[in-house]
Amino acid sequence: SDVANTTTPSPKSKEDQVVNGHDEKENNPFAEYMWMENEEDFNRQVEEELQEQEFLDRCFQEMLDEEDQDWFIPSRDLPQGIGQLQQQLNELSVAEGHSSEDILSKSNLNPDAKEFVPGVKY
């Protein structure tokens, strides 16, 4: 309740408000520079953080490299001749001149045969 009742007094002049570029209320005008008191400890801490970040970056890169090795990438993993053959196969398409009826009339498959289900014996 004491905190609510206290009011900050208004400065009477600009000279009272600022002393050497700092407010009177500010206890230590050098507070933001206090880390320099233990500069060696600060430097050691920052260096440890940087080394830890570098270590994590290397670990992530190694993990990504291992993951890339596990994936099958045709352009990288297939010999050059097979890659060209695969590209040619991808470019092939069913000729438009043949209708599905032509294909069915030349087929040796039995249209009345039961559907094949793996693991089921007939």
Side-chain angles (χ1 to χ4, degrees):
S1 64
D2 293 336
V3 175
N5 293 334
T6 59
T7 58
T8 56
S10 60
K12 296 177 183 169
S13 68
K14 287 187 177 184
E15 291 174 10
D16 291 340
Q17 184 180 5
V18 178
V19 176
N20 292 332
H22 295 282
D23 291 340
E24 275 186 12
K25 292 181 275 184
E26 191 175 322
N27 293 338
N28 185 356
F30 301 104
E32 65 183 284
Y33 302 105
M34 290 307 292
W35 65 269
M36 291 181 179
E37 181 179 14
N38 300 321
E39 188 172 356
E40 292 83 17
D41 292 338
F42 179 79
N43 288 341
R44 182 183 46 76
Q45 179 184 0
V46 169
E47 190 172 325
E48 286 175 1
E49 290 173 5
L50 290 173
Q51 288 174 350
E52 183 178 345
Q53 184 61 41
E54 183 180 327
F55 176 73
L56 289 173
D57 290 343
R58 282 197 321 264
C59 288
F60 274 115
Q61 188 58 47
E62 285 180 22
M63 182 182 68
L64 292 173
D65 291 343
E66 287 176 9
E67 202 172 78
D68 281 347
Q69 290 174 0
D70 291 341
W71 290 352
F72 176 75
I73 303 172
S75 61
R76 180 192 69 192
D77 297 333
L78 290 177
Q80 198 64 329
I82 294 176
Q84 291 171 351
L85 180 62
Q86 182 181 12
Q87 184 179 3
Q88 290 173 352
L89 286 173
N90 289 339
E91 292 172 0
L92 290 179
S93 63
V94 177
E96 294 177 10
H98 298 290
S99 67
S100 59
E101 295 169 2
D102 291 342
I103 295 172
L104 289 176
S105 65
K106 296 176 183 175
S107 173
N108 294 334
L109 298 176
N110 180 0
D112 299 325
K114 292 183 180 179
E115 183 177 348
F116 173 73
V117 179
V120 176
K121 295 185 180 181
Y122 297 102

